[in-house]
Amino acid sequence: MSLYPAALGPALADVRLLALDVDGVLTDGALYYGAEGELLKAFNVLDGLGIRLLGYADVEVAVITARRAPALERRLRDLSITQALYGVENKGHALESLMSKLGLVPSQVAFVGDDLLDLPAFSRAGVAITVPNAHAMIRRRADWITHAGGGHGAVREIADALLAARDALDDACRRLLSDVGESAEHQPPR
């Protein structure tokens, strides 16, 4: 089974920026509130490692979100994501601004969203990606719908596909293992 739709291979290979919505993409979309009213979020570790792997192929990761939450800010710090736009009402304009800042054109950008506020960014990105539980209008406009749901490994699925499309997945995995002091030869066989 391919990691991505075959027709998208060349487009995925050109991506230099993966821009993500948060609620429903990096999380499952549920909002949890603590006893003091603080907003809590749950993130998937598979997604985090996928984001880390993208760094080995010089793919920048950014977040464009309507919300700001301390839990999100902490997660982005943990993942070394420096391109974060909070409180964004028009994600299309925000994505255009980010592309300009980074010197990128639409064909070098993939955007992942799950609801109506993400449509303006879909129209500006070279590749529009969504998750299976996204709103129907988003699913109809997406170039690719992941198998994994938001907050359940969708970003890892996308990261693996971006790396595989540029034939860099194995190298990124080897480099990660080397950085943590382990060689691929010491790993159990597949």
Side-chain angles (χ1 to χ4, degrees):
M1 181 174 94
S2 177
L3 292 175
Y4 53 87
L8 277 183
L12 294 176
D14 289 342
V15 170
R16 299 292 173 254
L17 171 66
L18 176 63
L20 307 167
D21 176 35
V22 174
D23 295 324
V25 173
L26 278 172
T27 74
D28 66 4
L31 300 178
Y32 305 94
Y33 290 93
E36 303 298 318
E38 69 276 18
L39 180 60
L40 308 172
K41 295 179 183 278
F43 300 96
N44 190 298
V45 296
L46 292 173
D47 291 339
L49 192 58
I51 288 168
R52 189 170 169 192
L53 287 169
L54 286 173
Y56 291 107
D58 296 321
V59 176
E60 181 94 34
V61 178
V63 164
I64 303 174
T65 181
R67 294 184 188 275
R68 180 176 213 125
L72 172 60
E73 291 173 9
R74 169 65 189 271
R75 183 64 174 151
L76 298 184
R77 272 194 314 274
D78 289 350
L79 296 174
S80 301
I81 295 175
T82 59
Q83 302 296 334
L85 304 172
Y86 303 101
V88 174
E89 289 185 20
N90 188 318
K91 294 181 185 181
H93 290 152
L95 185 58
E96 280 182 344
S97 175
L98 187 57
M99 286 189 298
S100 177
K101 175 183 172 184
L102 298 174
L104 300 173
V105 296
S107 64
Q108 296 174 303
V109 178
F111 183 83
V112 188
D114 72 315
D115 212 341
L116 299 178
L117 293 177
D118 300 315
L119 279 175
F122 266 31
S123 67
R124 287 158 173 94
V127 181
I129 305 170
T130 195
V131 294
N133 58 321
H135 188 277
M137 288 179 70
I138 293 290
R139 290 193 316 267
R140 283 194 300 269
R141 297 276 301 275
D143 298 309
W144 174 26
I145 302 170
T146 62
H147 294 285
H152 296 281
V155 174
R156 176 59 176 275
E157 182 180 334
I158 295 162
D160 286 353
L162 291 173
L163 292 166
R166 58 176 37 88
D167 199 26
L169 180 58
D170 288 343
D171 181 61
C173 292
R174 274 193 296 278
R175 291 175 65 189
L176 172 74
L177 290 171
S178 175
D179 283 354
V180 298
E182 187 64 49
S183 96
E185 289 80 38
H186 293 111
Q187 300 306 306
R190 291 188 219 183

